[in-house]
Amino acid sequence: MKKYIIAIDGGGTKTVGVLADMHGEILNYKVGGPSNPNDIGEKAARNTLTTIIRELADAEEGWIDSVYAGISGAIGNEKLLRRAVSEACPDAKIKVASDIYNLFALLDGDTSRDAAVIICGTGGVCFARKNGALHRIGGWGYLLDSFGGAYSVGRDGLEAALRYHDGRGEATELYARAEAYLGAKPENAIRKIYSEGKTLIAGFAPEVLHACEAGDHVAARIVDSAIDGIVGFIDRAYEIIGERFDCVVGGGLIYNSYMKSRLLSLPDDKARIIYPEKEQIYGALRLALELSKE
């Protein structure tokens, strides 16, 4: 009977899973909703994971040798996430870890060397690795530390639109963009904004970036603030590592063309910014292969 492996890359917006043979050739690919238990709760995270893993496990005849799940919010939640994976594949070798390891695994060569990862999705977080030890920088959730992520960009964009409306802020095309995005004038959509909360607010970030690219000065200041947050991650990681390091980046916000061009134009005396050629799921797949050989 054939053996297979499953790799999972779980985030605050979506979860990607792949089924591969024992050589790492991908045979099936599934995408589901978010799986960060800090954001959506244990039950919803468990449902996302078990659904994707079961669909992958049923895609081919054979048995699952190992499952590697790199999931946002795994730190402090490893046991509950492991139980969810075990429900779907009780006989497989299982490892659950933070999705940051998926990014580290995309580095060429020795993936245990001193380096850092920065993820800017709904929020922003950096992990610096020095002598094998991980040091967390930021990423304390959208209520406490949204700096550098889509939530803060979207929130500041909607706030700028409302400030323009009530006369406290500069003229900005963010007002018109917010009206189109919300389906109503921003001042008439307050209930909608508060009821849908984080997801709706973070979803406005691309509009802020588009306005910035179109030359809107208010939007540009908001995006500059996000860039400052990322630079702050780099500065602190440099203090920890003590020398110039490779910094691999991920997350939806950081892949915007304007953000990418800005980051790649930063001075590289402290860090070499690396945009991986492959998706994070390929880092998880690499780790799944390593797990299968243990």
Side-chain angles (χ1 to χ4, degrees), residues 198-217:
K198 180 187 67 175
T199 301
L200 179 75
I201 293 169
F204 188 60
E207 293 299 323
V208 179
L209 289 162
H210 293 325
C212 178
E213 291 174 309
D216 187 279
H217 297 298

Side-chain angles (χ1 to χ4, degrees), residues 245-268:
F245 59 93
D246 285 343
C247 182
V248 61
V249 297
L253 186 73
I254 216 163
Y255 270 84
N256 170 269
S257 59
Y258 179 81
M259 290 282 285
K260 184 175 182 179
S261 65
R262 285 289 307 277
L263 288 178
L264 291 177
S265 67
L266 291 173
D268 63 355

Side-chain angles (χ1 to χ4, degrees), residues 17 37 43 90 95 128 141 156 163 165 182 198 220 240 257:
K43 183 178 179 180
K95 186 170 183 179
D156 292 351
R163 284 179 173 271
H165 162 72
L182 297 167
K198 180 187 67 175
I240 292 168
S257 59

Side-chain angles (χ1 to χ4, degrees), residues 114-116 128-130 236-245:
D114 294 350
R129 184 170 59 198
K130 173 69 173 178
R236 177 58 186 143
Y238 181 77
E239 291 175 355
I240 292 168
I241 295 172
E243 60 184 1
R244 186 175 181 268
F245 59 93

Side-chain angles (χ1 to χ4, degrees), residues 5-291:
I5 59 175
I6 289 175
I8 300 291
D9 177 58
T13 302
K14 67 177 181 178
T15 300
V16 178
V18 296
L19 177 76
D21 64 20
M22 301 303 289
H23 301 289
E25 181 180 352
I26 293 176
L27 305 173
N28 206 289
Y29 184 102
K30 298 288 183 182
V31 180
S35 53
N36 185 333
N38 293 328
D39 288 345
I40 63 174
E42 178 182 347
K43 183 178 179 180
R46 185 174 67 247
N47 288 342
T48 297
L49 289 172
T50 54
T51 298
I52 289 178
I53 292 171
R54 283 172 177 155
E55 288 178 351
L56 290 170
D58 292 341
E60 299 282 343
E61 291 188 4
W63 61 284
I64 305 302
D65 175 84
S66 55
V67 180
Y68 182 89
I71 301 171
S72 175
I75 297 175
N77 293 305
E78 292 93 343
K79 289 184 179 179
L80 71 89
L81 293 171
R82 184 183 176 86
R83 285 197 299 268
V85 175
S86 182
E87 285 178 21
C89 283
D91 298 322
K93 289 185 286 187
I94 295 170
K95 186 170 183 179
V96 173
S98 170
D99 62 333
I100 63 162
Y101 291 102
N102 302 349
L103 272 174
F104 273 123
L106 291 175
L107 287 168
D108 292 331
D110 178 11
T111 57
S112 65
R113 70 183 186 274
D114 294 350
V117 300
I118 292 175
I119 300 176
C120 291
T122 303
V125 66
C126 173
F127 281 85
R129 184 170 59 198
K130 173 69 173 178
N131 296 329
L134 281 181
H135 302 263
R136 181 174 182 160
I137 307 166
W140 305 118
Y142 75 101
L143 288 176
L144 300 174
D145 188 14
S146 61
F147 205 42
Y151 178 82
S152 62
V153 172
R155 178 201 61 210
D156 292 351
L158 291 171
E159 182 178 339
L162 289 165
R163 284 179 173 271
Y164 165 64
H165 162 72
D166 65 24
R168 290 179 297 158
E170 299 176 53
T172 172
E173 69 172 74
L174 290 172
Y175 182 85
R177 287 182 178 271
E179 182 177 0
Y181 175 72
L182 297 167
K185 293 183 182 300
E187 66 272 19
N188 296 329
I190 300 303
R191 180 179 294 179
K192 177 183 177 72
I193 294 170
Y194 275 86
S195 64
E196 298 188 28
K198 180 187 67 175
T199 301
L200 179 75
I201 293 169
F204 188 60
E207 293 299 323
V208 179
L209 289 162
H210 293 325
C212 178
E213 291 174 309
D216 187 279
H217 297 298
V218 175
R221 286 199 297 270
I222 294 171
V223 175
D224 286 344
S225 179
I227 296 289
D228 288 344
I230 296 169
V231 170
F233 287 150
I234 293 171
D235 288 344
R236 177 58 186 143
Y238 181 77
E239 291 175 355
I240 292 168
I241 295 172
E243 60 184 1
R244 186 175 181 268
F245 59 93
D246 285 343
C247 182
V248 61
V249 297
L253 186 73
I254 216 163
Y255 270 84
N256 170 269
S257 59
Y258 179 81
M259 290 282 285
K260 184 175 182 179
S261 65
R262 285 289 307 277
L263 288 178
L264 291 177
S265 67
L266 291 173
D268 63 355
D269 55 319
K270 294 181 179 178
R272 180 170 73 103
I273 302 294
I274 298 173
Y275 276 81
E277 295 181 0
K278 294 183 177 181
E279 298 176 63
Q280 285 181 210
I281 187 61
Y282 286 92
L285 178 58
R286 179 176 178 179
L287 295 169
L289 281 168
E290 291 179 4
L291 177 62

